[in-house]
Amino acid sequence: GQERWLLIFDNADDPSLRLFDYIPNSSGGHVLITSRNDLVRVQAPENSHKVDSLSLGDASHLLLVSSGYTASPDNLTKAKEIARELGCLPLAVAHAAGYITIHRCLDTYLHLYRQRRRELLSRSDPNVVQGREGSVSTTIQLSFERLSTQARYLLQLFSLFHATSISHSIIEKAALRNFAFTPFALQVQDPSEEEHASALMALICPSGAWSEFDFNEMIQQCLQYSLLQIITGDGATKYYTIHVLVQSWLRLDLPQDHLFQRLLIRILACDITADDNYENLIFHRSIIPHIEGAVVALNTTIADSFAFGFVLEEARHSLPAVQYLERALVLCIEALGDTHPDTISAMGRLAASLDSCGEFRAGMELKLRVLQGRKRLFGEEHPDTLRVMSNLARSFDWLAGEDHADTLSAIASLAHTLAALKRDEEAMELRSKAFEGFRLIHGIHHPVTLLTKINYTLSLCAMDRMDEAVQSSRSILQTATQMSGSDYAALYEGMENLSQSLANLGEMEVGDDLHQFVIRMRGF
């Protein structure tokens, strides 16, 4: 009979290998090819099998068995934490088990690994795990060194993204914008943004424009050595993933202020589109893991901080949004001063995020500053000023019930502005809140409380609610009589204004009573 045979090509990673030249022209045997090069599957597309990392359970079991620990619940929990940190990569788990075997350090290995990652990934000891002499670092480095310089840089840049969700669209959209887009039209631009955009164009678009073909050529090199993988989501969505150990190794020599960190920021900020209609919400959410997972906060410009704060707040990630918007505000004040339009805008956005975090008082204080800035820049009747007033009024609703005098004074001040703009119903509602608040704090027989009630009554007059205005005026007069020792010029001025308003509206009797009281109190 015909002789049976098995031919194995082990570690056939080199894409230049012509494997067909070495396969016998015979039907009497089998060929087995092992390779990290995902493209080798074209040799037998219907008979290929992708060997992924171990499952968490298998990796934990391998670690415990190889290191001589029992599978107690406590040991199993520790083993799972270690295996998860190592991405369940068999070689890495085997090396960890060898180290744990010698030093009996299952309890402390994870902490040790996080402190001395470089040394543990680089360990190569034939006595630790027989047949596994090569270290994890050596295995990754040998593959990395086979890449072109361009592909190496791209992979190092990818290592700074979140490892499992690098959307192809994130790269493509930023490249189509030449990495130069900023979602907010600010009056100051950091020159580094243009420098980083140029560096990204040279790396990702060396021809001067986005080319998916050229980009795929660089990606293909990384795929051939399993340094990257491609997965597809719903529809045509394509993602790149990088194993956590490959990511860790690539990051070892990159300081937090490395140029690649700044290039990552430029890509992510360039992807953001500022709109209030949530049209880009789904795409923006794909960016958030990279913003939250990367160490970028200390490297963002004013524009970048605005952009990240916006997209995080849009998705209701309010706490990290506050961090970026606080940075934007600090940078604006340092560069432009606290009255510049960009600074006022930063205050407004930060105030909104503080509200989302439940920090209503801090938000209100910023909104008051924004209101003063908008008044100064645009005047009281400008739409931007009016919008700030409405937002501030909502803050007062959220702070309802708080007996803080500063809050009540701010409410009264906003009500005065609204009354001047003939927005009488809104002014009356705020004045009612202020009066009730001051009454609780100071009591009814206090000049501030009574003046607030006078202003409330003026709003009733402005809305032609005369029965209520007359009743309130008589109550004011009665209270003022009981406070006859008070010398408070603003109070008397308010009573005089109310007297004139009542007289002008035909309520001569109560108007004259108020007028005569003021004369007596002033000693005329």
Side-chain angles (χ1 to χ4, degrees):
Q2 191 175 23
E3 185 177 352
R4 307 293 294 174
W5 53 266
L6 172 64
L7 177 62
I8 300 175
F9 295 95
D10 193 22
N11 290 330
D13 302 331
D14 191 338
S16 66
L17 286 174
R18 296 175 55 85
L19 294 180
F20 272 119
D21 294 345
Y22 301 95
I23 297 176
N25 187 14
S26 168
S27 61
H30 297 276
V31 178
L32 177 63
I33 304 171
T34 68
S35 176
R36 285 171 294 165
N37 185 351
D38 195 50
L39 303 181
V40 171
R41 70 173 61 193
V42 301
Q43 307 283 355
E46 296 181 357
N47 293 283
S48 63
H49 178 71
K50 183 176 179 62
V51 180
D52 287 318
S53 299
L54 297 173
S55 69
L56 183 60
D58 287 343
S60 306
H61 179 72
L62 171 63
L63 183 70
L64 290 176
V65 170
S66 299
S67 58
Y69 279 81
T70 61
S72 67
D74 186 52
N75 287 347
L76 190 58
T77 297
K78 293 183 175 69
K80 285 182 177 180
E81 291 175 350
I82 295 169
R84 187 180 291 110
E85 186 83 7
L86 298 174
C88 297
L89 188 70
L91 177 61
V93 173
H95 273 279
Y99 189 90
I100 292 169
T101 298
I102 294 174
H103 300 285
R104 311 310 295 164
C105 56
L106 181 66
D107 290 351
T108 60
Y109 182 82
L110 186 59
H111 176 71
L112 182 63
Y113 173 76
R114 288 170 176 169
Q115 282 191 324
R116 308 299 293 268
R117 191 184 306 263
R118 179 190 299 277
E119 291 86 343
L120 288 171
L121 288 178
S122 300
R123 283 184 65 84
S124 179
D125 186 348
N127 297 316
V128 172
V129 184
Q130 292 296 328
R132 300 290 182 185
E133 292 83 359
S135 71
V136 176
S137 284
T138 300
T139 303
I140 297 172
Q141 185 171 354
L142 288 173
S143 296
F144 183 72
E145 289 176 349
R146 294 187 178 188
L147 302 179
S148 68
T149 301
Q150 201 89 347
R152 290 182 197 178
Y153 287 156
L154 180 66
L155 189 64
Q156 285 181 303
L157 178 60
F158 269 32
S159 75
L160 299 176
F161 284 84
H162 188 280
T164 61
S165 58
I166 309 170
S167 168
H168 177 81
S169 300
I170 289 177
I171 308 300
E172 182 180 33
K173 186 171 186 176
L176 290 171
R177 291 175 165 180
N178 294 330
F179 303 104
F181 180 78
T182 53
F184 294 96
L186 303 177
Q187 295 185 24
V188 62
Q189 183 175 6
D190 194 307
S192 67
E193 294 169 9
E194 185 176 346
E195 296 170 6
H196 297 152
S198 297
L200 284 165
M201 288 297 291
L203 173 60
I204 297 176
C205 305
S207 66
W210 166 253
S211 166
E212 185 169 359
F213 179 84
D214 292 342
F215 183 72
N216 287 343
E217 288 292 298
M218 285 190 286
I219 291 294
Q220 182 172 323
Q221 295 180 51
C222 301
L223 297 175
Q224 287 170 342
Y225 298 103
S226 295
L227 296 171
L228 281 181
Q229 293 184 2
I230 293 180
I231 58 174
T232 53
D234 297 333
T237 306
K238 180 167 65 175
Y239 294 91
Y240 304 106
T241 68
I242 184 169
H243 194 278
V244 292
L245 284 185
V246 176
Q247 182 187 53
S248 295
W249 183 84
L250 289 166
R251 285 183 174 184
L252 286 175
D253 294 317
L254 294 179
Q256 290 186 5
D257 60 348
H258 192 275
L259 172 63
F260 285 154
Q261 285 281 4
R262 301 176 188 275
L263 298 186
L264 170 64
I265 294 169
R266 185 85 295 272
I267 291 173
L268 298 177
C270 186
D271 276 324
I272 296 169
T273 303
D275 66 73
D276 296 324
N277 301 318
Y278 300 98
E279 293 179 358
N280 296 280
L281 178 60
I282 294 176
F283 178 70
H284 285 169
R285 282 180 171 171
S286 73
I287 302 172
I288 289 176
H290 307 294
I291 296 175
E292 294 187 330
V295 185
V296 299
L298 297 179
N299 295 318
T300 50
T301 64
I302 294 175
D304 298 333
S305 301
F306 260 104
F308 291 164
F310 166 79
V311 81
L312 288 164
E313 179 57 39
E314 179 187 51
R316 296 298 181 262
H317 291 231
S318 299
L319 284 175
V322 165
Q323 294 174 356
Y324 280 106
L325 292 171
E326 283 178 339
R327 175 169 172 80
L329 179 56
V330 168
L331 292 175
C332 280
I333 292 174
E334 289 177 353
L336 306 168
D338 58 5
T339 61
H340 191 275
D342 289 348
T343 305
I344 299 300
S345 179
M347 288 180 187
R349 292 191 175 278
L350 176 56
S353 287
L354 288 168
D355 285 346
S356 297
C357 293
E359 299 290 339
F360 301 125
R361 182 169 303 285
M364 184 203 69
E365 291 171 357
L366 276 177
K367 287 176 186 176
L368 287 170
R369 294 175 66 183
V370 172
L371 179 58
Q372 295 305 314
R374 294 297 187 206
K375 283 182 181 179
R376 184 171 56 252
L377 290 170
F378 306 122
E380 291 189 341
E381 299 186 27
H382 190 277
D384 284 353
T385 307
L386 298 177
R387 183 169 58 252
V388 175
M389 289 182 187
S390 298
N391 291 336
L392 191 54
R394 283 197 295 272
S395 292
F396 295 145
D397 287 337
W398 292 326
L399 288 167
E402 292 197 15
D403 56 356
H404 196 286
D406 289 344
T407 301
L408 298 173
S409 296
I411 292 174
S413 176
L414 178 59
H416 180 76
T417 300
L418 291 169
L421 295 172
K422 305 300 182 185
R423 295 171 62 172
D424 298 311
E425 186 170 355
E426 295 169 84
M428 184 196 69
E429 290 178 2
L430 291 179
R431 283 170 167 172
S432 175
K433 291 177 184 177
F435 168 66
E436 290 300 325
F438 281 128
R439 185 176 62 82
L440 291 173
I441 295 175
H442 301 306
I444 191 63
H445 297 95
H446 189 280
V448 172
T449 306
L450 192 58
L451 179 60
T452 308
K453 186 171 184 179
I454 290 170
N455 289 331
Y456 168 72
T457 309
L458 284 168
S459 290
L460 291 174
C461 292
M463 297 178 66
D464 202 26
R465 292 167 58 170
M466 296 313 300
D467 289 344
E468 296 170 78
V470 169
Q471 182 179 358
S472 181
S473 298
R474 295 195 184 283
S475 173
I476 289 169
L477 185 58
Q478 180 180 359
T479 303
T481 301
Q482 297 168 357
M483 295 167 52
S484 56
S486 297
D487 181 15
Y488 192 56
L491 177 63
Y492 300 143
E493 183 178 349
M495 294 179 72
E496 187 64 45
N497 289 338
L498 178 58
S499 169
Q500 293 176 7
S501 293
L502 290 165
N504 291 338
L505 292 168
E507 298 294 339
M508 306 298 294
E509 181 180 351
V510 66
D512 187 59
D513 289 344
L514 285 169
H515 176 65
Q516 293 301 322
F517 176 81
V518 171
I519 290 176
R520 289 197 305 273
M521 295 307 299
R522 284 176 167 170
F524 294 155

